[in-house]
Amino acid sequence: MSAASTARAEILRRATAAIGAAGAEPVTVPRRYRSAGGLGPEGRVDLFCERAADYRARVHRFAAAELDAALAARCEELRARRLVAAPAAPWRPGGAEVEVDDPPLAAARLDQLDGVLSGCAVAIAETGTVVLDGSPLCGRRALTLVPDLHLCVVAAANVVETVPEAVAALAPAVAAGAPLTFVSGPSATSDIELQRVDGVHGPRQLELFVVWY
Amino acid sequence: MKAGFESAAREALGDSQLRRNMARATTTIRARRAAAVAEVEDWEELREAGAAIKAAVMASLPRQLERLERAVEERGGRVHWARDGAEANAIVTDLARAHGAGEVLKVKSITTDEIELNQALAAAGIRAHETDFAELVNQLAGDWSSHILVPAIHRNRSEIRLLFEDTIAAGRRLDEDPVALAAAARGHLRELFLRVPFAVSGANFAVAETGSVAVVESEGNGRMCTTLPEVLVTVMGIEKVLPEWRDLEVFLQLLPRSATGERMNPYTSIWSGVHAGDGPREFHLVLLDNGRTDVLADELGRAALHCIRCSACLNVCPVYSRVGGHAYGSVYPGPIGAVLTPQLRGLPQAPTLPWASSLCGACLEACPVKIDIPTMLVHLRGRVRREVGAPRGERAALAAAFRVLSDRGRYERAQRLRRLGRGALAQLLAAPWSRSRELPEPPPQTFREWWDERG
Amino acid sequence: MSGEPRAALLVTCFNDTLFPDVGRATVTVLERLGCEVAFPAAQTCCGQMHGNSGAHEEGLALAARAVRVFAEEPAVVCPSASCVGWLRETAPRLAAEAGEDDLVAGLEQLGGRLFELTEFLCDHLGVEDVGAFFPHRVAYHPTCHSLRGLKLGERPLRLLRAVGGLDLAEVDDEDCCGFGGTFAVKNADVSTAMLADKMAAVRATGAEVCTAVDSSCLMQIGGGLGRARAGVRTMHLAEILACER
């Protein structure tokens, strides 16, 4: 046997011996925690906006018809002129130059752009989180990571209240092999005297555009 | 650890800057965790579920590991098994060599600190770059972690500023503002993220059902390391496996609130094998034993493997928050370290750690997976006495005390002679006690003498 | 409660030998409330010190002794949260580990009849006002075993609030006082650092008296306050409840 297969066999053998009798008794997991929330659609979106803002994401709420103008205005304010968009992200803020990540841009190129535009798969109200799933609307992982500004459009219909609801909603994507990124506010560190400082390696600014379609 | 906890702790207490830094940091984080937990109405139900899931993992560990292996490989990843640190280090070093990597990026992984991977890589001529802010601080300072989650908790901002000015800022003056310090780290590391194509990570969780690995972090260096390089190697202790995808719904609530006191940490990356056109082209998962199956074999000590490395027990511990992490002589400090380190390394390697606690119970109360650390400490004290031995004076004193206490006649005679208060045990205790505290005067009459007199 | 409830006192070796006033005060309070108090004289030590020090065999032997001594008592009262915690929670687990099934059963049986003093007063007798009078400012220190072990919660505070003349101050610090049994001497420096912070919190209340439900913790706090000549006395909760106008 090779060293590798010996190691595998030995670890499994040791673990089997170690658990002994405990291995025979199945452990039941009590799942008495809340799996779903009780808020309606409006309440969920309100909570999401409040919680996301708590972690210093900038949150903007619009009707679908106003989105393009709002994006354009915000890009202008932030002086974000050169953007990259996820392949299926349809938004084109007027006044900004938008490249589409199809074919994929090199990481060094992403580093030179002002910001990235994407959608999200699910948003979690209780924690103010958006989840990206690598789909064409969200883009590959590097896309929403390297640029310093992330403009993320959140469809109100995709906002769930609790973490368990989000995990359930993401199960098919994971089963299909999608990589996931949970994003709650801009990149941060608490490493200096436990003080949360925004912006280390990921985007230092996270702008969320919550839209009712 | 040769010197043992007692003397290391004494030394740490003498460092007033360290004590101030620790007091300030742990006070801050305690309050934040308490607030984050208080707003969750089903916190106790989540803890119960978390504890049960971990118990279920341990009871079926071999099967879960095989499931995980199969799922990762089905999705294009490669799984390696390492019985100890040397084997894991050899696997990582060989992979780096095979890809001609002279440098590797690292995202904070206590597991790789446990096996001293960086030293092994250095011996092979490979330079490891720590990318977590605090790990970078420690690496630049030649220092080591003193906290599971905030490894440079023992440093304050002015110490970090001076360190950066001497190192990554290359002579530039820096502002003491944490924002400026974080920006200096960003500038330094961005170049590495874009250039170095080989990364090593740890893992918070791995889901057997789907072959998914999760890294929970704040800064984005985890995203960088798990996304930009061509090759990613994840080193993970075998106890980190979770059976089902659904189990994450529990731990993604328990961990961030217990750890940094946030409703959710800024970034959690979850990947499953290799994703075409997205992220590394090669993914290796190293499953590490390194003493874990020994811990598993101890029925009462086993639950130490349930730990999700949130460090809530460190922050609430009155001992840790005063002496800091280094006194524990291990990458796993604080209460969880006091039960995990002796079990992982073997009791003779860390026999004083089970006594590094007043058994106050704050750790158990804070633990999101309800690890009964106080009882485990008492259990390990018993094992140390039986398997390693106790100092002779202590052994003699406890034996003498037992002789007296186990017989009413001897007990009452000892009381009459005022020896129970001033006997062998008292002699042993008196000196260290009296340095800072008065000893009570033995009363003129014991309780039972009063009771008898009263009739 | 009807009739004369019987209460067997588990005074603890610590109180018996070093703090007999705590035992006397417990008797005073119980008798004032109409209890018939018994003191099984064969009792010595519950085994906590040995058990927590890792001498499990000795600790369990002493716990077994306590089980035997109190076997016939319908209700056992103990003015020490840590001894109750040991007998009710830690010892049964160590006994189970050692395969001493009879002892596990005995401890569980005793555990159902064993009350920490404030549990006995509040839960068993259903009393909060024990007729005490103590016109002083008193700081209550929740000991670890009372707060996190037995989860006594508000019980001691409810009893103190009902004491005539008493001006109650809560210590704004739930950390351990640093006693921890042999911890206090094995890690004397850490123990002293913890004590220093506890003393500061006690002194900040401006109280004349610091009270708690464990004499061991009070020995630590009192020993520190005495050394510092802080002018703050320590008294067990029972001693305050025993005071009358």
Side-chain angles (χ1 to χ4, degrees):
Chain A
M1 267 203 291
S2 70
S5 60
T6 311
R8 181 184 188 280
E10 190 179 328
I11 292 170
L12 291 173
R13 183 186 57 71
R14 288 172 56 88
T16 305
I19 55 182
E25 299 160 32
V27 181
T28 38
V29 175
R31 294 187 190 266
R32 288 188 286 262
Y33 52 84
R34 271 173 358 125
S35 48
L39 297 173
E42 293 273 357
R44 281 201 297 272
V45 169
D46 287 346
L47 184 63
F48 171 75
C49 292
E50 176 202 317
R51 295 281 162 95
D54 248 15
Y55 286 144
R56 287 179 268 185
R58 292 292 302 268
V59 184
H60 316 272
R61 300 173 69 163
F62 297 102
E66 305 162 37
L67 178 61
D68 282 332
L71 274 169
R74 191 66 187 138
C75 287
E76 180 59 34
E77 276 169 37
L78 295 169
R79 294 163 198 260
R81 307 236 155 80
R82 293 168 309 160
L83 302 178
V84 58
W91 312 286
R92 297 290 178 270
E97 182 188 312
V98 180
E99 288 180 59
V100 178
D101 189 47
D102 186 15
L105 275 60
R109 174 67 187 144
L110 293 176
D111 194 33
Q112 292 162 350
L113 297 172
D114 296 328
V116 54
L117 261 168
S118 83
C120 73
V122 174
I124 311 170
E126 272 187 357
T127 58
T129 304
V130 293
V131 187
L132 311 170
D133 67 355
S135 62
L137 187 67
C138 297
R140 64 202 166 95
R141 285 171 288 170
L143 182 70
T144 43
L145 172 64
V146 178
D148 206 10
L149 165 68
H150 182 188
L151 305 154
C152 182
V153 177
V154 180
N158 290 343
V159 178
V160 298
E161 187 174 336
T162 66
V163 172
E165 287 168 292
V167 167
L170 292 161
V174 170
L180 302 180
T181 308
F182 287 59
V183 177
S184 310
S187 137
T189 182
S190 298
D191 275 350
I192 308 163
E193 298 176 15
L194 271 311
Q195 185 181 322
R196 182 165 162 145
V197 176
D198 289 346
V200 194
H201 304 301
R204 283 184 282 197
Q205 285 173 287
L206 177 64
E207 300 269 334
L208 299 175
F209 296 84
V210 183
V211 185
W212 289 96
Y213 283 103
Chain B
M1 51 189 297
K2 297 221 164 35
F5 180 79
E6 290 89 353
S7 55
R10 194 176 311 131
E11 202 175 304
L13 286 170
D15 182 341
S16 54
Q17 181 67 58
L18 171 78
R19 280 186 70 182
R20 273 197 300 278
N21 293 354
M22 290 305 303
R24 183 170 167 176
T26 52
T27 305
T28 307
I29 191 77
R30 280 186 195 190
R32 241 195 274 147
R33 175 195 158 274
V37 166
E39 73 174 29
V40 181
E41 61 192 63
D42 55 343
W43 186 250
E44 284 310 311
E45 286 79 8
L46 287 167
R47 289 177 82 206
E48 270 168 35
I53 292 168
K54 284 293 188 176
V57 168
M58 298 313 150
S60 62
L61 190 59
R63 192 163 60 83
Q64 303 305 342
L65 292 172
E66 288 176 300
R67 287 176 75 206
L68 175 66
E69 176 187 45
R70 201 177 317 123
V72 169
E73 299 208 327
E74 273 171 15
R75 288 157 184 249
R78 174 87 205 283
V79 174
H80 309 256
W81 301 70
R83 279 169 287 194
D84 54 28
E87 279 189 357
N89 288 338
I91 291 165
V92 180
T93 308
D94 287 348
L95 285 168
R97 278 210 186 105
H99 289 87
E103 292 171 282
V104 307
L105 297 172
K106 277 191 67 205
V107 52
K108 187 180 114 182
S109 148
I110 322 172
T111 309
T112 62
D113 291 343
E114 172 193 325
I115 61 176
E116 301 187 338
L117 173 66
N118 290 7
Q119 290 87 326
L121 289 170
I126 300 162
R127 184 159 172 213
H129 298 283
E130 292 293 347
T131 64
D132 178 74
F133 184 89
E135 289 287 355
L136 173 68
V137 167
N138 285 340
Q139 194 177 39
L140 292 172
D143 200 352
W144 53 290
S145 170
S146 65
H147 189 280
I148 288 174
L149 205 79
V150 197
I153 194 170
H154 56 295
R155 300 259 177 197
N156 66 17
R157 62 184 74 185
S158 26
E159 293 171 286
I160 295 170
R161 173 177 67 89
L162 292 173
L163 175 70
F164 279 7
E165 284 180 351
D166 285 345
T167 53
I168 57 173
R172 260 184 314 129
R173 310 304 299 167
L174 290 177
D175 198 316
E176 207 162 279
D177 175 17
V179 176
L181 297 174
R186 178 185 171 102
H188 168 70
L189 287 170
R190 178 140 298 222
E191 183 271 326
L192 292 170
F193 288 136
L194 293 174
R195 180 168 59 78
V196 179
F198 192 103
V200 179
S201 88
N204 290 93
F205 309 103
V207 180
E209 177 190 11
T210 58
S212 310
V213 178
V215 165
V216 175
E217 52 135 356
S218 295
E219 296 170 12
N221 59 317
R223 291 179 72 187
M224 291 282 180
C225 287
T226 58
T227 302
L228 293 186
E230 303 273 302
V231 183
L232 171 63
V233 184
T234 297
V235 181
M236 175 187 118
I238 51 176
E239 80 282 17
K240 297 282 181 67
V241 64
L242 296 177
E244 313 303 326
W245 167 252
R246 186 186 176 186
D247 297 329
L248 277 180
E249 73 190 19
V250 175
F251 295 102
L252 289 180
Q253 296 188 74
L254 290 174
L255 180 54
R257 291 182 193 262
S258 301
T260 46
E262 293 166 308
R263 295 188 183 105
M264 191 63 96
N265 50 291
Y267 298 139
T268 295
S269 298
I270 301 174
W271 69 95
S272 314
V274 171
H275 308 278
D278 188 346
R281 286 180 216 179
E282 237 179 77
F283 170 59
H284 299 267
L285 180 63
V286 181
L287 298 175
L288 175 74
D289 183 343
N290 206 35
R292 285 160 176 77
T293 48
D294 291 331
V295 187
L296 193 64
D298 182 329
E299 219 174 300
L300 247 174
R302 179 182 296 161
L305 296 176
H306 296 185
C307 174
I308 57 173
R309 310 284 187 260
C310 73
S311 64
C313 66
L314 279 61
N315 302 325
V316 300
C317 176
V319 177
Y320 174 87
S321 61
R322 285 174 181 82
V323 304
H326 290 163
Y328 295 80
S330 159
V331 296
Y332 304 108
I336 188 64
V339 292
L340 195 53
T341 305
Q343 296 197 83
L344 281 177
R345 289 193 196 156
L347 299 177
Q349 303 306 314
T352 58
L353 282 180
W355 275 270
S357 165
S358 65
L359 306 179
C360 81
C363 46
L364 167 58
E365 196 175 61
C367 179
V369 291
K370 300 175 83 163
I371 303 172
D372 186 352
I373 294 176
T375 303
M376 207 180 287
L377 285 164
V378 172
H379 161 72
L380 291 175
R381 290 175 184 188
R383 277 193 57 196
V384 168
R385 272 181 69 88
R386 292 193 297 275
E387 297 169 31
V388 186
R392 194 192 304 175
E394 186 183 315
R395 219 168 46 225
L398 283 170
F402 178 69
R403 216 179 110 71
V404 167
L405 295 171
S406 55
D407 179 88
R408 178 183 167 188
R410 282 197 289 267
Y411 172 72
E412 290 179 351
R413 273 195 300 281
Q415 281 186 321
R416 274 198 300 278
L417 295 169
R418 301 278 173 259
R419 270 188 21 211
L420 207 57
R422 289 282 154 97
L425 191 66
Q427 289 304 314
L428 185 80
L429 307 184
W433 177 273
S434 298
R435 277 204 301 274
S436 58
R437 293 153 287 203
E438 302 293 315
L439 264 176
E441 281 298 312
Q445 194 181 37
T446 63
F447 172 78
R448 66 180 56 223
E449 283 166 348
W450 171 80
W451 180 267
D452 283 346
E453 210 175 272
R454 184 174 179 252
Chain C
M1 301 285 299
S2 61
E4 278 209 346
R6 182 181 162 95
L9 176 63
L10 194 173
V11 74
T12 80
C13 61
F14 206 75
N15 286 324
D16 184 9
T17 309
L18 288 173
F19 300 99
D21 289 348
V22 175
R24 294 165 63 161
T26 305
V27 173
T28 303
V29 173
L30 292 174
E31 287 181 346
R32 189 195 297 147
L33 295 171
C35 292
E36 180 204 340
V37 181
F39 178 71
Q43 64 180 284
T44 55
C45 167
C46 66
Q48 185 195 177
M49 178 185 69
H50 281 89
N52 282 351
S53 303
H56 292 170
E57 210 179 304
E58 293 86 344
L60 291 177
L62 291 169
R65 189 189 159 83
V67 168
R68 285 195 303 276
V69 169
F70 290 95
E72 305 300 324
E73 296 296 341
V76 182
V77 184
C78 177
S80 163
S82 67
C83 295
V84 173
W86 156 257
L87 287 171
R88 214 153 54 186
E89 278 150 36
T90 316
R93 296 192 59 179
L94 297 181
E97 188 200 4
E100 296 190 36
D101 297 343
D102 289 350
L103 180 54
V104 175
L107 284 164
E108 280 171 1
Q109 219 275 332
L110 172 64
R113 296 175 282 123
L114 174 63
F115 300 88
E116 183 277 334
L117 175 62
T118 67
E119 290 174 336
F120 188 79
L121 297 177
C122 295
D123 305 349
H124 195 69
L125 298 183
V127 178
E128 283 180 16
D129 184 347
V130 301
F133 180 75
F134 191 73
H136 300 280
R137 184 162 170 81
V138 174
Y140 174 71
H141 161 63
T143 65
C144 300
H145 284 91
S146 64
L147 181 72
R148 288 176 283 266
L150 300 185
K151 299 195 171 20
L152 294 185
E154 286 280 305
R155 291 182 187 84
L157 294 168
R158 291 207 306 262
L159 290 161
L160 284 168
R161 283 191 200 111
V163 173
L166 190 144
D167 174 16
L168 181 63
E170 289 184 50
V171 180
D172 184 24
D173 170 21
E174 291 191 345
D175 267 16
C176 175
C177 67
F179 179 69
T182 48
F183 175 81
V185 287
K186 264 176 132 36
N187 283 289
D189 300 275
V190 188
S191 169
T192 300
M194 289 157 69
L195 173 60
D197 293 338
K198 180 59 65 185
M199 288 184 348
V202 169
R203 292 172 85 161
T205 63
E208 304 149 70
V209 173
C210 174
T211 191
V213 295
D214 282 274
S215 294
S216 49
C217 308
L218 288 171
M219 182 173 88
Q220 161 93 344
I221 297 170
L225 290 169
R227 177 64 56 87
R229 299 184 195 288
V232 184
R233 281 183 296 153
T234 49
M235 285 172 79
H236 191 282
L237 181 79
E239 295 178 276
I240 291 178
L241 299 185
C243 289
E244 285 177 291
R245 193 186 285 272

